[in-house]
């Protein structure tokens, strides 16, 4: 790779101070450091002389690798859902290629728009470009339905990067999870394209099979509960499970929901793939297992609590169903564990994760308008995380003060 | 009551080039230097000698106007050949060309029993004017102890867990009597206890037999040997309190002052690191020029190497004509890392493939080889970024301190929070490992010292 290095060294002066393209230095720097780890060496004193081989780029790429199972499965599932909805027979490859065709443009738009904004801000601020968007750019396509208009992806990404991150000072300073900010923007600005039925499956306007409504498992569960209530019928856990099992001849069985062969956002339907991602994140130490465990625990316990009340059928739905439905697993594994917007203290992470689980189920079960809760729960807890940390740190200060002998 | 404290947090940086037990006595340096920059917060040093002056071993060379009773003394006798100055004439190195046979400043001598009968004032006076006082470091802040402060305890760490650290038994062999005399003198300086902490796995035989100290054992990875960790677990420090810490070498030097009446700067240091042909121990004097020890013992040209007085975490870069630091008993030589690494941030196999990592991220497989010794260079392996990864610093710091929050308080010059979050308990060496493992490549030691300076100047 010497020729490449030589080429870079040749054009480097153009981007240095007083060079022709000095204002584009961060852009050049981003490409250069992407190709080559720079030759920076540690300082002569007041600094360690050796550094760990891990850096932020490697950390972010580890997250992207953890996302790959969800991404690949999601692409296949986009095709699979089309086949189910339209009744057209498709081979596995055809399904995957159809999904690729639908997903790739979203990924490209997300990265081009996001990185474009990052480069612009870095050039204006004379910063180097941070790696944070590498992950965000992959997360955004995975939490939107395959039918999302590309211009909306572009606008949402721009909104999230500018208002969710850059106004706070960039990667490491943001309060909210950037990808979820994009999702929240879409939810509030373009609700008809990101919520409800009919948007989760890219049917390409082809005729659907009889009885197909394109709902997600969550909305099937919620509507079943309200229908039973309206009809004044007796309800039980079985009635919701029955309704889920009956839908489209067994689409929403527990097994299918765990595997992810159900309609939903591109990357978040498969709990199994999320768990594979979780294993990668935990094994590499990049994602916090404490947040994951406590969030799943919080959700499960809250669902059990509602089982005990069981004043409608949805409340009575078996608690473990909640764990495989909707974006819960994806949100917990990839969004809640974002180290910047989560609680920074280890004690705080237990509380933060647990409350995410609790609030998700509260929103799901009690909110009549919108059956999914993980996004708002994480965003709400993002805002609360500094407060949790504040109290954990205050406790530490108190401990320190209490030891004082004078 | 002696205790064994097991520490879970920590990380051992396993470097190649551990010193063999061989002690070389026949190589010696001719030039020695005393460097005011070896001591923290010496802002107004007053140099007492000028070029051409003759000094004895133990002759005061400079003092700090903020702490004027404490003298810093010549390690050897000879002629002052240069007072090298830096910005605003700040003295950087005071170089002495050593005599063949040393002459010493003579002070009164005492035996063990007599030392225990001296008053605190008498002990302090002798120690401050003779030059040995600089061995006593005061916490908070890691400054040379102020003679007017009374420490609540004195701490001696009897082992070193930093990378390629010297074996204290080799450093101190034969100094048992001097060590005991040093302990007797130190006991005069505090109303509290003198704590000696030893490694639970391999306690120093020389130190274990000392009397008049409370011995505790610590078990764990680095920084288990750091005196700051011992203080945190045995007698935590809060605002308004002082503890003093002394390296066992300093204890022996203090002992020799009382027993022989001289400032004996004889020291042993370990020459270590992957780029040293035969890593071993050398006997010399404090502040020795390193060239005689290094010149035939490096594996390649010195310009491709980083010569560090001290260890790779807290040491100082010197060149081959540089000098052994005042507090250092180790010199480490590692390769410089000023190369570009193609796709080095993602490839599992690259130039950096032998790199050691605390983390287990993509391609970082060093955790699978717990005994392998690594050749680490000075490359950053990345670029400086804001704090992103959380909760990792606490995994390598066995103290109840939130490093990230403390450093943010330092960055924000938030004095109240610095105090509340534990700045009194740590100095650079305690958080050096946090700096090593940080994927954001921040300069944590410098941030902490800047915070301490802000606090000192406020």
């Amino acid at each position: 790779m010497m020729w490449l290095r030589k080429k870079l060294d040749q054009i480097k002066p153009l981007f240095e101070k007083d060079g022709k393209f000095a204002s584009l230095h961060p852009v050049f720097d981003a490409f250069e450091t992407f190709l080559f780890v720079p030759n920076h060496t540690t300082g002569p004193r007041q600094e360690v002389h050796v550094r760990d081989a891990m850096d932020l780029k490697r950390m972010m790429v580890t997250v992207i690798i953890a996302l790959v199972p969800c991404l690949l499965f999601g692409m296949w599932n986009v095709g699979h859902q089309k086949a189910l909805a339209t009744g057209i027979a498709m081979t596995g490859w055809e399904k995957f290629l159809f999904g690729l065709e639908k997903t790739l443009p979203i990924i490209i738009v997300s990265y081009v728009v996001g990185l474009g904004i990052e480069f612009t801000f870095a050039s204006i601020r004379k910063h180097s470009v941070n790696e944070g968007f590498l992950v965000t750019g992959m997360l955004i396509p995975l939490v939107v339905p395959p039918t999302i208009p590309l211009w909306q992806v572009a606008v949402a990404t721009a909104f999230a990067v500018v208002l969710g991150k850059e106004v706070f000072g960039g990667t490491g300073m943001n309060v909210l999870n950037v990808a979820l900010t994009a999702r929240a923007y879409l939810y509030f600005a373009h609700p008809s394209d990101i919520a409800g039925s009919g948007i989760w499956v890219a049917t390409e306007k082809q005729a659907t099979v009889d009885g197909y409504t394109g709902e997600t498992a969550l909305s099937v569960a919620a509507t079943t509960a309200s229908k039973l209530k309206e009809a004044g019928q007796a309800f039980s856990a079985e009635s919701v499970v029955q309704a889920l099992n009956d839908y489209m001849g067994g689409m929403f069985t527990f097994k299918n929901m765990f595997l992810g062969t159900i309609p939903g956002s591109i990357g978040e339907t498969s709990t199994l793939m999320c768990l594979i991602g979780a294993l990668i994140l935990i094994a590499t130490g990049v994602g916090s297992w404490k947040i994951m465990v406590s969030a799943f625990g919080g959700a499960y316990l809250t669902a059990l609590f509602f089982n005990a009340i069981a004043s409608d059928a949805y409340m009575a739905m078996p608690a473990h169903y909640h764990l495989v439905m909707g974006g819960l697993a994806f949100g917990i594994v990839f969004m809640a564990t974002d180290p910047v917007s989560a609680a920074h203290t280890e004690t705080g992470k237990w509380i933060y994760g647990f409350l995410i689980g609790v609030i998700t189920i509260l929103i799901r079960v009690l909110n009549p308008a919108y059956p999914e809760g993980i996004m708002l729960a994480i965003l709400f807890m993002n805002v609360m995380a500094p407060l949790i940390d504040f109290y954990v740190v205050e406790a530490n200060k108190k401990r320190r003060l209490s030891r004082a002998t004078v | 009551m002696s205790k064994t404290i097991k520490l879970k947090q920590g990380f051992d940086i396993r470097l190649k080039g551990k010193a063999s037990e061989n002690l070389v006595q026949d190589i010696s340096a001719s030039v020695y230097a005393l460097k005011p920059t070896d001591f923290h917060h010496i802002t107004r040093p007053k140099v007492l000698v000028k070029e051409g002056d003759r000094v004895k071993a133990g002759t005061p060379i400079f003092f700090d106007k903020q702490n004027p009773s404490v003298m810093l003394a010549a390690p050897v006798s000879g002629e002052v050949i240069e007072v090298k100055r830096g910005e605003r004439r700040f003295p950087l190195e005071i170089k002495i060309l050593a005599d063949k046979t040393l002459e010493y400043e003579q002070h009164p001598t005492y035996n063990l029993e007599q030392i225990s009968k001296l008053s605190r004032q008498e002990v302090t006076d002798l120690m401050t004017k003779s030059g040995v006082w600089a061995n006593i470091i005061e916490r908070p802040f890691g400054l040379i102890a102020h003679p007017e402060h009374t420490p609540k305890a004195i701490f001696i760490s009897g082992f070193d867990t930093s990378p390629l650290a010297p074996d204290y038994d080799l450093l101190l062999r034969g100094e048992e009597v001097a060590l005991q005399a040093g302990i007797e003198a130190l006991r005069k300086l505090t109303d509290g206890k003198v704590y000696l902490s030893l490694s639970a796995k391999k306690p120093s035989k020389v130190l274990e037999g000392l009397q008049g100290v409370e011995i505790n054992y610590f078990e764990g990875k680095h920084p288990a040997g750091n005196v700051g960790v011992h203080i945190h677990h045995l007698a935590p420090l809060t605002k308004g309190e002082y503890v003093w810490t002394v390296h066992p070498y300093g204890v022996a030097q203090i002992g020799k002052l009382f027993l022989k009446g001289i400032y004996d700067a004889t020291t042993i240091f370990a020459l270590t690191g992957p780029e040293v042909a035969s890593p071993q121990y050398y006997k010399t004097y404090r502040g020795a020029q390193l060239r005689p020890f290094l010149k035939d013992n490096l594996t390649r040209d010195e310009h491709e190497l980083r010569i560090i007085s001290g260890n790779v975490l807290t040491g100082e870069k010197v060149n081959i004509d540089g000098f052994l630091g005042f507090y250092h008993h180790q010199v480490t030589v590692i390769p410089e890392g000023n190369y570009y690494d193609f796709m080095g941030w993602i490839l599992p196999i690259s130039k950096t493939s032998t790199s050691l990592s605390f983390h287990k991220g993509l391609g970082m497989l060093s955790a699978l080889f717990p005994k392998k010794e690594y050749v680490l260079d000075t490359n950053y392996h990345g670029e400086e970024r804001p704090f992103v990864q959380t909760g990792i610093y606490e995994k390598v710091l066995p103290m109840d301190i939130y490093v990230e929050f403390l450093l943010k308080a330092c960055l924000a010059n938030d004095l109240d929070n610095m105090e509340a979050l534990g700045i009194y308990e740590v100095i650079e060496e305690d958080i050096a490992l946090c700096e090593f493992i940080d994927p954001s490549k921040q300069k944590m030691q410098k941030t902490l010292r800047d915070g301490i300076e802000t606090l000192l100047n406020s």
Side-chain angles (χ1 to χ4, degrees):
Chain A
M1 287 303 141
M2 284 308 286
W3 63 272
L4 189 59
R5 186 63 246 163
K6 269 186 196 152
K7 207 85 209 140
L8 282 172
D9 285 336
Q10 248 171 32
I11 60 168
K12 200 170 182 175
L14 294 174
F15 296 91
E16 308 271 90
K17 207 178 163 202
D18 302 329
K20 207 170 166 188
F21 307 115
S23 59
L24 291 177
H25 178 261
V27 179
F28 175 79
D29 181 66
F31 281 109
E32 190 195 6
T33 55
F34 178 80
L35 289 169
F36 291 92
V37 171
N39 62 348
H40 301 169
T41 54
T42 50
R45 57 178 306 189
Q46 270 199 344
E47 216 184 302
V48 292
H49 294 272
V50 291
R51 289 282 189 166
D52 195 289
M54 181 82 157
D55 72 337
L56 221 53
K57 278 197 178 69
R58 199 180 278 270
M59 199 176 115
M60 294 297 175
V61 163
T62 309
V63 183
I64 292 181
I65 287 174
L67 280 167
V68 166
C70 283
L71 175 71
L72 295 181
F73 180 86
M75 286 178 176
W76 172 83
N77 192 42
V78 169
H80 182 65
Q81 290 308 318
K82 182 195 171 191
L84 286 181
T86 57
I88 300 169
M90 290 167 92
T91 63
W93 269 111
E94 280 170 347
K95 288 173 182 171
F96 181 79
L97 287 175
F98 177 74
L100 185 71
E101 188 190 313
K102 287 274 126 194
T103 313
L104 203 56
I106 305 178
I107 297 176
I108 291 170
V109 167
S110 153
Y111 271 113
V112 168
V113 172
L115 287 177
I117 295 170
E118 289 257 339
F119 281 134
T120 313
F121 268 87
S123 298
I124 295 169
R125 287 195 185 136
K126 303 189 174 24
H127 269 183
S128 43
V129 178
N130 280 353
E131 292 76 12
F133 195 78
L134 291 179
V135 172
T136 310
M138 184 58 81
L139 283 173
I140 292 175
L142 294 184
V143 294
V144 294
T147 57
I148 189 93
L150 291 179
W151 69 269
Q152 287 185 11
V153 177
V155 175
T157 307
F159 176 87
V161 174
V162 175
L163 283 178
K165 185 159 78 172
E166 292 302 337
V167 293
F168 292 101
T171 304
M173 318 285 186
N174 48 308
V175 177
L176 299 176
N177 182 305
V178 186
L180 276 181
T181 310
R183 177 86 153 73
Y185 170 82
L186 288 173
Y187 172 58
F188 288 111
H190 308 286
S192 58
D193 290 313
I194 196 137
S197 56
I199 52 129
W200 301 107
V201 179
T203 51
E204 304 277 89
K205 293 191 177 143
Q206 284 167 334
T208 53
V209 293
D210 281 349
Y212 182 83
T213 60
E215 285 179 291
T216 62
L218 283 166
S219 51
V220 171
T223 49
T224 307
S226 52
K227 272 182 204 159
L228 287 171
K229 204 169 193 176
E230 275 167 25
Q233 286 176 355
F235 57 80
S236 62
E238 287 76 37
S239 50
V240 185
V241 172
Q242 194 61 47
L244 285 168
N245 284 346
D246 288 348
Y247 185 84
M248 286 280 293
M251 177 182 269
F252 295 134
T253 59
F254 184 82
K255 185 181 149 204
N256 279 359
M257 290 195 286
F258 178 73
L259 293 177
T261 54
I262 52 170
S265 293
I266 295 170
E268 65 182 26
T269 58
S270 173
T271 311
L272 177 67
M273 296 302 143
C274 293
L275 289 180
I276 294 172
L279 278 182
I280 296 172
L281 289 182
I282 292 171
T284 54
V286 169
S288 165
W289 63 269
K290 289 175 187 162
I291 293 179
M292 295 186 208
V293 168
S294 61
F296 276 115
Y300 187 70
L301 290 178
T302 314
L304 277 185
F305 172 75
F306 280 122
N307 285 173
I309 300 177
S311 70
D312 70 19
Y314 197 6
M315 284 192 191
M317 186 177 75
H320 59 278
Y321 268 62
H322 274 293
L323 303 185
V324 296
M325 292 166 90
L328 184 98
F330 189 85
I332 288 175
V333 172
F334 297 107
M335 305 284 198
T337 54
D338 166 20
V340 176
S341 57
H344 288 205
T345 55
E346 296 303 287
T347 319
K349 283 174 184 165
W350 286 110
I351 303 167
Y352 169 83
F354 189 81
L355 289 179
I356 284 178
V358 171
I359 296 171
T360 304
I361 304 300
L362 283 181
I363 296 176
R364 273 187 184 180
V365 175
L366 299 182
N367 166 19
Y370 187 55
E372 178 58 300
I374 185 76
M375 170 188 81
L376 291 172
I378 295 176
L379 284 175
F380 180 70
M381 289 312 296
N382 281 170
V383 178
M384 291 296 137
L387 187 69
I388 298 172
D389 281 337
F390 174 81
Y391 283 112
V392 173
V393 171
E394 282 301 303
N396 175 275
K397 290 181 190 172
K398 270 203 192 116
R399 260 199 311 278
R400 184 161 287 105
L401 265 180
S402 68
R403 298 185 320 207
T405 48
V406 285
Chain B
M1 256 311 273
S2 125
K3 283 190 276 194
T4 302
I5 295 166
K6 286 185 184 166
L7 305 172
K8 282 187 215 145
Q9 299 92 334
F11 182 66
D12 284 331
I13 299 176
R14 304 179 300 276
L15 282 185
K16 224 178 206 162
K18 198 170 166 45
S20 70
E21 291 197 3
N22 187 29
L23 175 62
V24 181
Q25 305 207 40
D26 52 358
I27 299 179
S28 68
S30 51
V31 180
Y32 295 80
L34 195 59
K35 296 185 284 182
T37 50
D38 279 351
F39 311 94
H40 285 306
H41 202 62
I42 286 199
T43 48
R44 294 190 294 154
K46 168 81 181 156
V47 180
L48 300 166
V49 293
K50 53 185 189 301
E51 282 165 27
D53 282 0
R54 281 205 53 81
V55 291
K56 292 181 182 174
T59 305
I61 295 285
F62 79 93
F63 67 90
D64 181 23
K65 284 179 190 164
Q66 295 181 114
N67 200 354
S69 59
V70 179
M71 295 295 158
L72 281 304
V76 291
S77 65
E79 183 191 340
V80 177
I81 51 168
E82 188 188 355
V83 179
K84 187 176 165 190
R85 291 180 186 267
E87 271 176 52
R88 298 164 76 187
R89 294 191 38 80
F90 191 93
L92 300 175
E93 288 168 354
I94 301 149
K95 298 182 192 169
I96 300 165
L97 182 65
D99 293 336
K100 286 268 181 288
T101 331
L102 298 191
E103 281 180 73
Y104 291 91
E105 294 281 357
Q106 195 61 49
H107 301 283
T109 59
Y110 305 90
N111 61 31
L112 272 182
E113 202 179 322
Q114 286 167 325
I115 299 172
S116 59
K117 285 184 184 145
L118 290 171
S119 71
R120 182 180 202 266
Q121 195 58 47
E122 286 169 316
V123 171
T124 311
D125 286 347
L126 180 55
M127 284 172 67
T128 47
K129 72 177 180 196
S130 64
V132 299
W133 187 267
N135 286 303
I136 306 177
I137 301 288
E138 182 173 286
R139 300 261 187 146
F141 311 141
L143 317 177
I144 295 178
H146 202 291
E148 280 164 26
H149 293 164
T150 310
K152 69 169 187 173
I154 293 179
F155 278 85
I156 302 161
S157 170
F159 66 117
D160 191 349
T161 45
S162 40
L164 299 175
D167 180 351
Y168 280 10
D169 270 355
L170 283 163
L171 246 54
L172 302 167
R173 194 170 284 160
E175 305 280 14
E176 288 83 350
V177 184
L179 283 162
Q180 191 60 54
I183 299 282
E184 295 301 329
L186 288 173
R187 282 176 62 182
K188 291 278 152 196
L189 301 176
T190 174
D191 302 330
K193 290 178 187 171
V194 176
Y195 291 94
L196 170 64
S197 309
L198 296 176
S199 158
K201 277 209 169 138
K202 198 181 162 226
S204 154
K205 291 186 193 79
V206 177
L207 295 171
E208 212 173 16
L210 291 177
Q211 304 295 314
V213 289
E214 182 181 303
I215 297 184
N216 293 288
Y217 297 88
F218 282 81
E219 188 179 328
K221 297 173 176 169
H222 185 66
N226 277 14
V227 71
V229 174
H230 307 159
I231 298 169
H232 183 86
H233 286 273
L234 297 170
L237 195 56
T238 38
K239 191 177 181 178
E241 294 177 331
Y242 301 100
V243 298
W244 288 354
T245 70
V246 194
H247 188 280
Y249 167 79
V251 180
Q253 199 188 28
I254 292 167
K256 282 188 266 186
L257 170 71
F258 284 88
L259 295 175
K260 296 196 225 162
I262 57 168
Y263 175 75
D264 183 353
T266 320
T267 186
I268 292 171
F269 76 90
L271 179 57
T272 63
E275 301 295 333
V276 177
S278 47
Q280 54 197 338
Y281 289 81
Y282 291 88
K283 189 166 189 175
T284 179
Y285 297 93
R286 252 181 176 164
Q289 190 163 41
L290 296 173
R291 181 177 280 278
F293 310 99
L294 294 177
K295 64 178 181 197
D296 299 322
N297 208 356
L298 297 179
T299 51
R300 46 181 150 151
D301 185 69
E302 66 192 72
H303 300 295
E304 296 170 29
L305 301 174
R306 168 82 51 105
I307 301 165
I308 302 157
S309 172
N311 62 54
V312 290
L313 290 177
T314 56
E316 183 185 353
K317 176 185 174 178
V318 290
N319 59 34
I320 196 164
D321 287 317
F323 301 89
L324 185 66
F326 188 85
Y327 295 109
H328 296 151
H329 300 278
Q330 179 184 2
V331 171
T332 316
V333 187
I334 57 172
E336 280 288 1
N338 49 351
Y339 53 82
Y340 288 95
D341 196 6
F342 180 67
M343 287 285 178
W345 56 278
I346 184 172
L347 292 181
I349 297 167
S350 69
K351 269 188 196 166
T352 61
S353 64
T354 61
S355 307
L356 174 71
S357 176
F358 166 77
H359 307 275
K360 296 186 277 300
L362 171 74
M364 299 285 95
L365 303 175
S366 60
L368 301 178
F369 309 102
K371 295 232 166 113
K372 188 177 166 187
E373 290 180 336
Y374 291 81
V375 179
L376 299 191
D377 56 44
T378 61
N379 193 291
Y380 253 94
H381 304 303
E383 296 156 278
E384 195 170 330
R385 294 286 184 259
F387 285 106
V388 168
Q389 181 71 307
T390 59
I392 45 168
Y393 312 115
E394 289 76 20
K395 286 184 188 163
V396 292
L397 182 68
M399 295 189 193
D400 183 20
I401 283 179
Y402 288 108
V403 180
E404 185 188 327
F405 291 84
L406 173 61
L407 291 178
K408 281 181 176 171
C410 290
L411 287 169
N413 282 340
D414 180 349
L415 303 182
D416 289 343
N417 261 327
M418 282 188 224
E419 289 184 344
L421 289 166
I423 202 164
Y424 294 118
E425 299 203 54
V426 282
I427 62 170
E428 289 96 321
E429 60 176 24
D430 299 311
I431 61 157
L433 200 56
C434 302
E435 184 175 292
F436 168 76
I437 64 154
D438 183 15
S440 295
K441 313 289 175 189
Q442 302 217 2
K443 292 173 181 156
M444 299 178 143
Q445 297 187 72
K446 179 157 189 335
T447 306
L448 179 71
R449 182 49 63 182
D450 289 349
I452 290 174
E453 287 291 330
T454 311
L455 212 54
L456 282 168
N457 297 328
S458 66

